[in-house]
Amino acid sequence: MQSTLTATQLQQVLLLIEEAHNAPNAQALRQCVVYGVGAMVESSSCAWTELKSDLFTTTTATATVVDISDKDVDVNESIQLFNRYASQHPVIARAVHSGNANAQSISDFLTRSEFQNLELYQYLYKHLHTEDQLSVGFVENGYVTGLSVNRATWGFTENERSLLNHVARCVFPFYRILQKDNHSETENRPMVETYMGIITEQYQVLGITPREGDVLALIARGKSNKQIALAFNISEGTVKKHVENLFRRMEVNNRVSLTIKAMTMIQIGRHL
């Protein structure tokens, strides 16, 4: 995926990922991401939603989780309305039928008048001040999990799509870990530590050596060359050489871009 993010945005994304990966449980991760994305993208609110993916064969959906950044919203009422009209949502429909996980907006599929004519809009989104919505998600084990940015205006930029894609591709795999390991030690381990182990195991996916994988794992943890040298009992010069090799192999020129690209390439969820 070609990044259109600025250096500042990449840094913001990495900080959000760090915070999310250290969340103690799934709810804390969801709330962290919802509020973090809302601070980075112009929006009326952001939401994390989960619902059964068989909604297109039934009259209503069943949303099991809804976290929204707008504290004035009646969440229970919103869940009921969303359950009733979710089958009209074009982005959800596309995700269920095609498995497309990239960020897409309602305006990619409908005209503004078509959207406003939907009951989904008239009974729910209109009252949430949502004239368009950008969503990214995944379908797994009969459920659709989605992260959405709601906006009071029409349309989203490619930059905003890229930002949401970066966040989702780095956060969703760790959310899967929390869901799958509810009663294991993994739940209480910082998520970035779990990521470090996965980098070390999946270094071949990135086309790097095992030692470069070790170095990259600590770079993802925010460690300096000196700290990495102490961790592996090697010289700072050797660490510097590993970092230069990583930049060259991954075709990046800074540590933030290196971490984001590695996370994206590995697509951790496919290996769990």
Side-chain angles (χ1 to χ4, degrees):
M1 178 181 59
Q2 182 64 38
S3 172
T4 61
L5 303 187
T6 65
T8 298
Q9 287 175 318
L10 283 170
Q11 184 65 52
Q12 290 174 328
V13 168
L14 186 56
L15 290 173
L16 174 59
I17 292 168
E18 174 79 9
E19 183 179 355
H21 290 178
N22 284 281
N25 53 56
Q27 182 180 9
L29 184 148
R30 293 193 305 266
Q31 293 178 347
C32 165
V33 173
V34 163
Y35 284 98
V37 170
M40 289 188 285
V41 181
E42 180 186 349
S43 62
S44 56
S45 63
C46 291
W48 185 297
T49 308
E50 292 179 19
L51 67 156
K52 287 185 177 180
S53 61
D54 62 357
L55 64 96
F56 294 97
T57 61
T58 60
T59 56
T60 59
T62 304
T64 58
V65 174
V66 174
D67 284 291
I68 189 165
S69 60
D70 188 343
K71 295 182 178 179
D72 294 328
V73 171
D74 185 326
V75 174
N76 290 329
E77 182 181 6
S78 295
I79 289 175
Q80 292 177 7
L81 290 168
F82 187 72
N83 285 342
R84 189 175 303 166
Y85 303 116
S87 60
Q88 298 179 4
H89 199 300
V91 179
I92 296 175
R94 178 64 178 270
V96 170
H97 292 309
S98 72
N100 191 327
N102 289 325
Q104 296 177 302
S105 66
I106 290 174
S107 54
D108 290 337
F109 301 95
L110 302 175
T111 65
R112 194 166 190 173
S113 61
E114 287 173 337
F115 176 48
Q116 292 177 343
N117 284 331
L118 294 178
E119 292 170 305
L120 175 68
Y121 173 83
Q122 295 171 5
Y123 291 104
L124 178 61
Y125 285 164
K126 179 179 180 179
H127 304 286
L128 296 177
H129 309 291
T130 299
E131 294 297 322
D132 199 1
Q133 183 184 76
L134 182 67
S135 302
V136 62
F138 65 91
V139 181
E140 186 174 85
N141 297 327
Y143 284 87
V144 181
T145 299
L147 173 62
S148 302
V149 176
N150 300 323
R151 176 170 288 175
T153 56
W154 190 247
F156 289 88
T157 67
E158 289 305 312
N159 176 270
E160 290 164 337
R161 295 169 191 270
S162 183
L163 189 150
L164 197 61
N165 279 330
H166 276 305
V167 171
R169 292 183 181 184
C170 297
V171 168
F172 281 160
F174 290 93
Y175 188 65
R176 291 188 180 104
I177 291 173
L178 286 175
Q179 287 182 311
K180 292 179 179 179
D181 297 306
N182 286 334
H183 304 291
S184 73
E185 294 180 359
T186 304
E187 183 178 17
N188 297 315
R189 285 166 52 196
M191 289 295 97
V192 75
E193 298 294 342
T194 304
Y195 173 62
M196 288 169 63
I198 293 173
I199 279 186
T200 303
E201 294 171 2
Q202 300 294 333
Y203 66 89
Q204 292 175 319
V205 175
L206 304 174
I208 61 179
T209 67
R211 175 57 80 189
E212 288 168 348
D214 293 337
V215 171
L216 175 55
L218 290 186
I219 289 175
R221 191 72 169 81
K223 301 301 183 182
S224 67
N225 285 359
K226 182 176 181 179
Q227 290 171 316
I228 295 172
L230 289 172
F232 296 126
N233 194 29
I234 57 179
S235 70
E236 286 189 58
T238 299
V239 174
K240 183 178 179 181
K241 186 64 177 177
H242 284 312
V243 174
E244 290 173 349
N245 288 340
L246 286 166
F247 283 178
R248 186 183 70 256
R249 293 176 188 273
M250 302 290 286
E251 299 181 339
V252 297
N253 57 17
N254 63 75
R255 297 163 93 95
V256 175
S257 297
L258 174 66
T259 304
I260 294 292
K261 188 167 185 178
M263 288 178 170
T264 301
M265 289 177 65
I266 289 175
Q267 296 185 13
I268 303 167
R270 296 184 179 181
H271 305 287
L272 296 179

CSV table of all heavy atoms in Angstrom, one decimal, residues 102-154:
chain,number,residue,atom,x,y,z
A,102,ASN,N,-10.2,-2.7,2.6
A,102,ASN,CA,-9.7,-1.4,2.5
A,102,ASN,C,-10.8,-0.3,2.9
A,102,ASN,O,-12.0,-0.6,2.8
A,102,ASN,CB,-9.2,-1.1,1.1
A,102,ASN,CG,-7.9,-1.8,0.8
A,102,ASN,OD1,-7.1,-2.0,1.6
A,102,ASN,ND2,-7.8,-2.3,-0.5
A,103,ALA,N,-10.3,0.8,3.3
A,103,ALA,CA,-11.2,1.9,3.7
A,103,ALA,C,-12.1,2.4,2.6
A,103,ALA,O,-11.5,2.7,1.5
A,103,ALA,CB,-10.4,3.1,4.3
A,104,GLN,N,-13.4,2.4,2.8
A,104,GLN,CA,-14.3,2.8,1.7
A,104,GLN,C,-15.4,3.7,2.4
A,104,GLN,O,-15.7,3.5,3.6
A,104,GLN,CB,-14.9,1.6,1.0
A,104,GLN,CG,-13.9,0.8,0.2
A,104,GLN,CD,-14.6,-0.4,-0.4
A,104,GLN,OE1,-15.2,-1.3,0.3
A,104,GLN,NE2,-14.5,-0.6,-1.7
A,105,SER,N,-15.9,4.6,1.6
A,105,SER,CA,-16.9,5.5,2.1
A,105,SER,C,-18.3,5.2,1.5
A,105,SER,O,-18.4,4.6,0.4
A,105,SER,CB,-16.6,6.9,1.9
A,105,SER,OG,-16.6,7.2,0.5
A,106,ILE,N,-19.3,5.7,2.2
A,106,ILE,CA,-20.7,5.6,1.6
A,106,ILE,C,-20.8,6.3,0.3
A,106,ILE,O,-21.4,5.8,-0.6
A,106,ILE,CB,-21.7,6.1,2.6
A,106,ILE,CG1,-21.8,5.2,3.8
A,106,ILE,CG2,-23.1,6.3,2.0
A,106,ILE,CD1,-22.7,5.7,5.0
A,107,SER,N,-20.0,7.4,0.2
A,107,SER,CA,-20.0,8.2,-1.0
A,107,SER,C,-19.3,7.5,-2.2
A,107,SER,O,-19.4,7.9,-3.3
A,107,SER,CB,-19.4,9.6,-0.8
A,107,SER,OG,-18.1,9.5,-0.3
A,108,ASP,N,-18.6,6.4,-1.9
A,108,ASP,CA,-18.1,5.6,-3.0
A,108,ASP,C,-19.1,4.8,-3.7
A,108,ASP,O,-18.9,4.4,-4.9
A,108,ASP,CB,-17.0,4.6,-2.4
A,108,ASP,CG,-15.8,5.3,-1.9
A,108,ASP,OD1,-15.5,6.4,-2.4
A,108,ASP,OD2,-15.1,4.7,-1.1
A,109,PHE,N,-20.3,4.6,-3.1
A,109,PHE,CA,-21.3,3.7,-3.7
A,109,PHE,C,-22.6,4.4,-4.0
A,109,PHE,O,-23.4,3.9,-4.8
A,109,PHE,CB,-21.6,2.5,-2.7
A,109,PHE,CG,-20.3,1.7,-2.4
A,109,PHE,CD1,-19.6,2.0,-1.3
A,109,PHE,CD2,-20.0,0.7,-3.2
A,109,PHE,CE1,-18.5,1.3,-1.0
A,109,PHE,CE2,-18.8,-0.1,-2.9
A,109,PHE,CZ,-18.1,0.2,-1.8
A,110,LEU,N,-22.9,5.5,-3.2
A,110,LEU,CA,-24.2,6.1,-3.4
A,110,LEU,C,-24.0,7.6,-3.6
A,110,LEU,O,-23.0,8.2,-3.2
A,110,LEU,CB,-25.0,5.9,-2.1
A,110,LEU,CG,-25.3,4.5,-1.7
A,110,LEU,CD1,-26.1,4.6,-0.3
A,110,LEU,CD2,-26.2,3.8,-2.7
A,111,THR,N,-25.0,8.2,-4.3
A,111,THR,CA,-25.0,9.7,-4.4
A,111,THR,C,-25.6,10.2,-3.0
A,111,THR,O,-26.1,9.4,-2.2
A,111,THR,CB,-26.0,10.2,-5.5
A,111,THR,OG1,-27.3,9.8,-5.2
A,111,THR,CG2,-25.6,9.6,-6.8
A,112,ARG,N,-25.4,11.5,-2.8
A,112,ARG,CA,-25.9,12.0,-1.5
A,112,ARG,C,-27.4,11.8,-1.4
A,112,ARG,O,-27.9,11.5,-0.3
A,112,ARG,CB,-25.5,13.5,-1.4
A,112,ARG,CG,-25.6,14.1,0.0
A,112,ARG,CD,-24.9,15.4,0.1
A,112,ARG,NE,-24.8,15.8,1.5
A,112,ARG,CZ,-24.1,16.9,1.9
A,112,ARG,NH1,-23.4,17.6,1.0
A,112,ARG,NH2,-24.1,17.2,3.1
A,113,SER,N,-28.1,12.1,-2.4
A,113,SER,CA,-29.6,11.9,-2.3
A,113,SER,C,-30.0,10.5,-2.1
A,113,SER,O,-31.0,10.2,-1.4
A,113,SER,CB,-30.3,12.5,-3.6
A,113,SER,OG,-29.8,11.8,-4.7
A,114,GLU,N,-29.3,9.5,-2.7
A,114,GLU,CA,-29.6,8.1,-2.5
A,114,GLU,C,-29.4,7.7,-1.1
A,114,GLU,O,-30.2,7.0,-0.5
A,114,GLU,CB,-28.7,7.3,-3.4
A,114,GLU,CG,-29.1,7.3,-4.9
A,114,GLU,CD,-28.1,6.6,-5.8
A,114,GLU,OE1,-26.9,6.4,-5.4
A,114,GLU,OE2,-28.5,6.2,-6.9
A,115,PHE,N,-28.3,8.2,-0.5
A,115,PHE,CA,-28.0,7.9,0.9
A,115,PHE,C,-29.1,8.5,1.8
A,115,PHE,O,-29.6,7.9,2.7
A,115,PHE,CB,-26.6,8.5,1.3
A,115,PHE,CG,-26.3,8.3,2.7
A,115,PHE,CD1,-26.4,7.1,3.4
A,115,PHE,CD2,-25.7,9.4,3.4
A,115,PHE,CE1,-26.1,7.0,4.7
A,115,PHE,CE2,-25.4,9.3,4.8
A,115,PHE,CZ,-25.6,8.1,5.4
A,116,GLN,N,-29.5,9.8,1.5
A,116,GLN,CA,-30.4,10.5,2.4
A,116,GLN,C,-31.8,9.9,2.3
A,116,GLN,O,-32.7,10.1,3.2
A,116,GLN,CB,-30.5,12.0,2.1
A,116,GLN,CG,-29.2,12.7,2.5
A,116,GLN,CD,-29.2,14.1,2.1
A,116,GLN,OE1,-29.9,14.6,1.2
A,116,GLN,NE2,-28.3,14.9,2.7
A,117,ASN,N,-32.1,9.1,1.2
A,117,ASN,CA,-33.4,8.5,1.1
A,117,ASN,C,-33.5,7.1,1.8
A,117,ASN,O,-34.6,6.6,2.0
A,117,ASN,CB,-33.7,8.2,-0.4
A,117,ASN,CG,-34.1,9.5,-1.1
A,117,ASN,OD1,-34.7,10.4,-0.5
A,117,ASN,ND2,-33.8,9.6,-2.4
A,118,LEU,N,-32.3,6.6,2.3
A,118,LEU,CA,-32.3,5.4,3.1
A,118,LEU,C,-32.9,5.6,4.5
A,118,LEU,O,-32.7,6.6,5.1
A,118,LEU,CB,-30.9,4.8,3.2
A,118,LEU,CG,-30.2,4.4,1.9
A,118,LEU,CD1,-28.8,3.9,2.3
A,118,LEU,CD2,-30.9,3.3,1.2
A,119,GLU,N,-33.6,4.6,5.0
A,119,GLU,CA,-34.1,4.6,6.3
A,119,GLU,C,-32.9,4.6,7.3
A,119,GLU,O,-33.0,5.2,8.4
A,119,GLU,CB,-34.9,3.4,6.6
A,119,GLU,CG,-36.2,3.3,5.9
A,119,GLU,CD,-36.9,2.0,6.0
A,119,GLU,OE1,-36.3,1.0,5.6
A,119,GLU,OE2,-38.1,2.0,6.4
A,120,LEU,N,-31.8,4.0,6.9
A,120,LEU,CA,-30.5,4.0,7.7
A,120,LEU,C,-30.1,5.5,8.0
A,120,LEU,O,-29.7,5.8,9.1
A,120,LEU,CB,-29.4,3.3,7.0
A,120,LEU,CG,-28.0,3.4,7.6
A,120,LEU,CD1,-28.0,2.5,8.9
A,120,LEU,CD2,-27.0,2.8,6.6
A,121,TYR,N,-30.3,6.3,7.0
A,121,TYR,CA,-29.9,7.8,7.2
A,121,TYR,C,-31.0,8.5,8.0
A,121,TYR,O,-30.7,9.2,8.9
A,121,TYR,CB,-29.7,8.4,5.8
A,121,TYR,CG,-29.5,9.9,5.9
A,121,TYR,CD1,-28.3,10.5,6.2
A,121,TYR,CD2,-30.6,10.8,5.8
A,121,TYR,CE1,-28.1,11.9,6.4
A,121,TYR,CE2,-30.5,12.2,5.9
A,121,TYR,CZ,-29.2,12.7,6.2
A,121,TYR,OH,-29.1,14.1,6.3
A,122,GLN,N,-32.3,8.3,7.6
A,122,GLN,CA,-33.4,9.1,8.1
A,122,GLN,C,-33.6,8.8,9.6
A,122,GLN,O,-33.9,9.7,10.4
A,122,GLN,CB,-34.6,8.8,7.3
A,122,GLN,CG,-34.6,9.2,5.9
A,122,GLN,CD,-35.8,8.7,5.1
A,122,GLN,OE1,-36.7,8.1,5.6
A,122,GLN,NE2,-35.8,9.0,3.8
A,123,TYR,N,-33.4,7.6,10.0
A,123,TYR,CA,-33.6,7.2,11.4
A,123,TYR,C,-32.4,7.2,12.3
A,123,TYR,O,-32.5,7.2,13.5
A,123,TYR,CB,-34.4,5.9,11.5
A,123,TYR,CG,-35.8,5.9,10.9
A,123,TYR,CD1,-36.0,5.4,9.7
A,123,TYR,CD2,-36.8,6.5,11.7
A,123,TYR,CE1,-37.3,5.4,9.2
A,123,TYR,CE2,-38.1,6.6,11.2
A,123,TYR,CZ,-38.4,6.0,9.9
A,123,TYR,OH,-39.6,6.1,9.4
A,124,LEU,N,-31.2,7.1,11.7
A,124,LEU,CA,-30.0,7.0,12.5
A,124,LEU,C,-29.0,8.1,12.2
A,124,LEU,O,-28.7,9.0,13.0
A,124,LEU,CB,-29.4,5.6,12.4
A,124,LEU,CG,-28.1,5.4,13.2
A,124,LEU,CD1,-28.3,5.6,14.6
A,124,LEU,CD2,-27.5,4.0,12.9
A,125,TYR,N,-28.4,8.0,11.0
A,125,TYR,CA,-27.2,8.9,10.7
A,125,TYR,C,-27.6,10.3,10.6
A,125,TYR,O,-26.8,11.2,11.0
A,125,TYR,CB,-26.6,8.4,9.3
A,125,TYR,CG,-25.8,7.1,9.5
A,125,TYR,CD1,-25.4,6.4,8.4
A,125,TYR,CD2,-25.4,6.7,10.7
A,125,TYR,CE1,-24.7,5.3,8.5
A,125,TYR,CE2,-24.7,5.5,10.8
A,125,TYR,CZ,-24.3,4.8,9.7
A,125,TYR,OH,-23.6,3.7,9.8
A,126,LYS,N,-28.8,10.7,10.2
A,126,LYS,CA,-29.2,12.1,10.2
A,126,LYS,C,-29.1,12.7,11.6
A,126,LYS,O,-28.6,13.8,11.8
A,126,LYS,CB,-30.6,12.2,9.7
A,126,LYS,CG,-31.1,13.7,9.7
A,126,LYS,CD,-32.6,13.7,9.1
A,126,LYS,CE,-33.1,15.1,9.1
A,126,LYS,NZ,-34.5,15.1,8.5
A,127,HIS,N,-29.5,11.9,12.6
A,127,HIS,CA,-29.5,12.4,14.0
A,127,HIS,C,-28.1,12.3,14.6
A,127,HIS,O,-27.8,12.9,15.7
A,127,HIS,CB,-30.5,11.5,14.8
A,127,HIS,CG,-31.9,11.6,14.2
A,127,HIS,ND1,-32.7,12.7,14.3
A,127,HIS,CD2,-32.6,10.7,13.5
A,127,HIS,CE1,-33.8,12.5,13.7
A,127,HIS,NE2,-33.8,11.3,13.2
A,128,LEU,N,-27.2,11.6,14.0
A,128,LEU,CA,-25.8,11.5,14.4
A,128,LEU,C,-24.9,12.5,13.7
A,128,LEU,O,-23.7,12.6,13.8
A,128,LEU,CB,-25.2,10.1,14.2
A,128,LEU,CG,-25.8,9.0,14.9
A,128,LEU,CD1,-25.2,7.6,14.5
A,128,LEU,CD2,-25.7,9.2,16.4
A,129,HIS,N,-25.6,13.4,12.9
A,129,HIS,CA,-24.9,14.4,12.1
A,129,HIS,C,-23.9,13.8,11.1
A,129,HIS,O,-22.8,14.3,11.0
A,129,HIS,CB,-24.2,15.4,13.0
A,129,HIS,CG,-25.1,16.0,14.0
A,129,HIS,ND1,-26.2,16.9,13.7
A,129,HIS,CD2,-25.2,15.8,15.4
A,129,HIS,CE1,-26.8,17.2,14.9
A,129,HIS,NE2,-26.2,16.6,15.9
A,130,THR,N,-24.3,12.7,10.5
A,130,THR,CA,-23.5,11.9,9.6
A,130,THR,C,-24.0,12.0,8.2
A,130,THR,O,-25.0,11.4,7.9
A,130,THR,CB,-23.4,10.4,10.1
A,130,THR,OG1,-22.8,10.4,11.4
A,130,THR,CG2,-22.5,9.6,9.1
A,131,GLU,N,-23.3,12.8,7.4
A,131,GLU,CA,-23.6,12.9,6.0
A,131,GLU,C,-22.8,12.0,5.1
A,131,GLU,O,-23.1,11.7,3.9
A,131,GLU,CB,-23.5,14.3,5.5
A,131,GLU,CG,-24.4,15.3,6.2
A,131,GLU,CD,-25.9,15.0,5.9
A,131,GLU,OE1,-26.2,14.6,4.7
A,131,GLU,OE2,-26.7,15.1,6.8
A,132,ASP,N,-21.7,11.5,5.6
A,132,ASP,CA,-20.9,10.5,5.0
A,132,ASP,C,-20.1,9.7,6.0
A,132,ASP,O,-20.0,10.2,7.2
A,132,ASP,CB,-19.9,11.1,4.0
A,132,ASP,CG,-19.4,10.2,2.9
A,132,ASP,OD1,-19.8,9.0,2.9
A,132,ASP,OD2,-18.6,10.6,2.1
A,133,GLN,N,-19.6,8.5,5.6
A,133,GLN,CA,-18.9,7.7,6.6
A,133,GLN,C,-17.8,6.9,5.9
A,133,GLN,O,-18.1,6.3,4.8
A,133,GLN,CB,-19.9,6.7,7.3
A,133,GLN,CG,-19.2,5.9,8.4
A,133,GLN,CD,-20.2,4.9,8.9
A,133,GLN,OE1,-20.5,3.9,8.3
A,133,GLN,NE2,-20.7,5.1,10.1
A,134,LEU,N,-16.6,7.0,6.4
A,134,LEU,CA,-15.5,6.2,5.9
A,134,LEU,C,-15.3,5.0,6.9
A,134,LEU,O,-15.1,5.2,8.1
A,134,LEU,CB,-14.3,7.1,5.9
A,134,LEU,CG,-13.0,6.4,5.3
A,134,LEU,CD1,-13.2,6.1,3.8
A,134,LEU,CD2,-11.8,7.4,5.5
A,135,SER,N,-15.3,3.8,6.4
A,135,SER,CA,-15.2,2.6,7.2
A,135,SER,C,-14.1,1.6,6.7
A,135,SER,O,-13.9,1.5,5.5
A,135,SER,CB,-16.5,1.9,7.3
A,135,SER,OG,-17.5,2.7,7.7
A,136,VAL,N,-13.5,0.9,7.6
A,136,VAL,CA,-12.6,-0.1,7.3
A,136,VAL,C,-12.8,-1.3,8.3
A,136,VAL,O,-13.2,-1.0,9.4
A,136,VAL,CB,-11.1,0.4,7.4
A,136,VAL,CG1,-10.8,0.8,8.8
A,136,VAL,CG2,-10.1,-0.7,6.9
A,137,GLY,N,-12.7,-2.5,7.8
A,137,GLY,CA,-13.0,-3.6,8.7
A,137,GLY,C,-12.6,-5.0,8.2
A,137,GLY,O,-11.9,-5.1,7.2
A,138,PHE,N,-13.0,-6.0,8.9
A,138,PHE,CA,-12.7,-7.4,8.5
A,138,PHE,C,-13.9,-8.2,8.9
A,138,PHE,O,-14.7,-7.9,9.8
A,138,PHE,CB,-11.4,-7.9,9.1
A,138,PHE,CG,-11.4,-8.0,10.7
A,138,PHE,CD1,-11.8,-9.2,11.3
A,138,PHE,CD2,-11.1,-7.0,11.5
A,138,PHE,CE1,-11.9,-9.3,12.6
A,138,PHE,CE2,-11.1,-7.1,12.9
A,138,PHE,CZ,-11.5,-8.3,13.4
A,139,VAL,N,-14.0,-9.3,8.1
A,139,VAL,CA,-15.1,-10.3,8.4
A,139,VAL,C,-14.4,-11.6,8.9
A,139,VAL,O,-13.5,-12.2,8.2
A,139,VAL,CB,-15.9,-10.6,7.1
A,139,VAL,CG1,-17.0,-11.6,7.4
A,139,VAL,CG2,-16.4,-9.3,6.5
A,140,GLU,N,-14.8,-12.1,10.0
A,140,GLU,CA,-14.2,-13.3,10.6
A,140,GLU,C,-15.2,-14.0,11.6
A,140,GLU,O,-15.8,-13.3,12.4
A,140,GLU,CB,-12.9,-12.9,11.3
A,140,GLU,CG,-12.1,-14.1,11.8
A,140,GLU,CD,-10.8,-13.7,12.4
A,140,GLU,OE1,-10.7,-13.3,13.6
A,140,GLU,OE2,-9.8,-13.7,11.6
A,141,ASN,N,-15.2,-15.3,11.5
A,141,ASN,CA,-16.1,-16.1,12.4
A,141,ASN,C,-17.5,-15.6,12.4
A,141,ASN,O,-18.1,-15.6,13.5
A,141,ASN,CB,-15.4,-16.1,13.8
A,141,ASN,CG,-14.1,-16.7,13.8
A,141,ASN,OD1,-13.8,-17.7,13.0
A,141,ASN,ND2,-13.2,-16.2,14.7
A,142,GLY,N,-18.0,-15.2,11.3
A,142,GLY,CA,-19.4,-14.8,11.2
A,142,GLY,C,-19.7,-13.4,11.7
A,142,GLY,O,-20.9,-13.0,11.8
A,143,TYR,N,-18.7,-12.6,11.9
A,143,TYR,CA,-18.9,-11.2,12.4
A,143,TYR,C,-18.2,-10.2,11.5
A,143,TYR,O,-17.1,-10.5,11.0
A,143,TYR,CB,-18.5,-11.1,13.8
A,143,TYR,CG,-19.4,-11.6,14.9
A,143,TYR,CD1,-19.3,-13.0,15.2
A,143,TYR,CD2,-20.4,-10.9,15.4
A,143,TYR,CE1,-20.2,-13.5,16.1
A,143,TYR,CE2,-21.3,-11.4,16.3
A,143,TYR,CZ,-21.2,-12.7,16.7
A,143,TYR,OH,-22.1,-13.3,17.6
A,144,VAL,N,-18.8,-9.1,11.4
A,144,VAL,CA,-18.1,-7.9,10.7
A,144,VAL,C,-17.6,-7.0,11.8
A,144,VAL,O,-18.4,-6.5,12.6
A,144,VAL,CB,-19.1,-7.2,9.8
A,144,VAL,CG1,-18.3,-6.0,9.1
A,144,VAL,CG2,-19.6,-8.1,8.7
A,145,THR,N,-16.4,-6.7,11.8
A,145,THR,CA,-15.8,-5.7,12.7
A,145,THR,C,-15.4,-4.5,11.9
A,145,THR,O,-14.7,-4.6,11.0
A,145,THR,CB,-14.6,-6.3,13.5
A,145,THR,OG1,-15.0,-7.4,14.3
A,145,THR,CG2,-14.0,-5.2,14.4
A,146,GLY,N,-15.9,-3.3,12.3
A,146,GLY,CA,-15.6,-2.1,11.6
A,146,GLY,C,-15.2,-0.9,12.4
A,146,GLY,O,-15.7,-0.7,13.5
A,147,LEU,N,-14.3,-0.1,11.9
A,147,LEU,CA,-13.9,1.2,12.4
A,147,LEU,C,-14.3,2.2,11.5
A,147,LEU,O,-14.0,2.2,10.3
A,147,LEU,CB,-12.4,1.2,12.6
A,147,LEU,CG,-11.7,2.5,13.1
A,147,LEU,CD1,-12.3,2.9,14.4
A,147,LEU,CD2,-10.2,2.4,13.1
A,148,SER,N,-15.1,3.2,12.0
A,148,SER,CA,-15.8,4.2,11.1
A,148,SER,C,-15.5,5.6,11.5
A,148,SER,O,-15.5,5.9,12.7
A,148,SER,CB,-17.3,3.9,11.0
A,148,SER,OG,-17.6,2.6,10.6
A,149,VAL,N,-15.4,6.5,10.5
A,149,VAL,CA,-15.3,7.9,10.8
A,149,VAL,C,-16.5,8.6,10.2
A,149,VAL,O,-16.8,8.4,9.0
A,149,VAL,CB,-14.0,8.5,10.1
A,149,VAL,CG1,-14.0,10.0,10.3
A,149,VAL,CG2,-12.8,7.9,10.6
A,150,ASN,N,-17.3,9.2,11.1
A,150,ASN,CA,-18.5,9.9,10.6
A,150,ASN,C,-18.2,11.4,10.4
A,150,ASN,O,-17.5,12.0,11.2
A,150,ASN,CB,-19.6,9.7,11.7
A,150,ASN,CG,-20.0,8.3,12.0
A,150,ASN,OD1,-20.0,7.5,11.1
A,150,ASN,ND2,-20.2,8.0,13.2
A,151,ARG,N,-18.9,11.9,9.4
A,151,ARG,CA,-18.6,13.3,9.0
A,151,ARG,C,-19.9,14.0,8.6
A,151,ARG,O,-20.8,13.4,8.0
A,151,ARG,CB,-17.6,13.3,7.8
A,151,ARG,CG,-17.3,14.7,7.3
A,151,ARG,CD,-16.1,14.7,6.4
A,151,ARG,NE,-14.9,14.5,7.1
A,151,ARG,CZ,-13.7,14.4,6.5
A,151,ARG,NH1,-13.6,14.3,5.2
A,151,ARG,NH2,-12.6,14.2,7.2
A,152,ALA,N,-20.0,15.3,8.9
A,152,ALA,CA,-21.1,16.1,8.6
A,152,ALA,C,-21.1,16.7,7.2
A,152,ALA,O,-22.0,17.4,6.8
A,152,ALA,CB,-21.3,17.2,9.7
A,153,THR,N,-20.0,16.4,6.5
A,153,THR,CA,-19.9,16.8,5.1
A,153,THR,C,-19.7,15.6,4.2
A,153,THR,O,-19.5,14.5,4.7
A,153,THR,CB,-18.7,17.8,4.9
A,153,THR,OG1,-17.5,17.2,5.4
A,153,THR,CG2,-19.0,19.1,5.7
A,154,TRP,N,-19.8,15.8,2.9
A,154,TRP,CA,-19.7,14.7,1.9
A,154,TRP,C,-18.3,14.5,1.4
A,154,TRP,O,-17.7,15.5,0.9
A,154,TRP,CB,-20.7,15.1,0.8
A,154,TRP,CG,-20.9,14.0,-0.2
A,154,TRP,CD1,-20.6,14.0,-1.5
A,154,TRP,CD2,-21.7,12.8,0.0
A,154,TRP,NE1,-21.0,12.8,-2.2
A,154,TRP,CE2,-21.7,12.1,-1.3
A,154,TRP,CE3,-22.4,12.2,1.1
A,154,TRP,CZ2,-22.4,10.9,-1.4
A,154,TRP,CZ3,-23.0,11.0,0.9
A,154,TRP,CH2,-23.0,10.3,-0.3
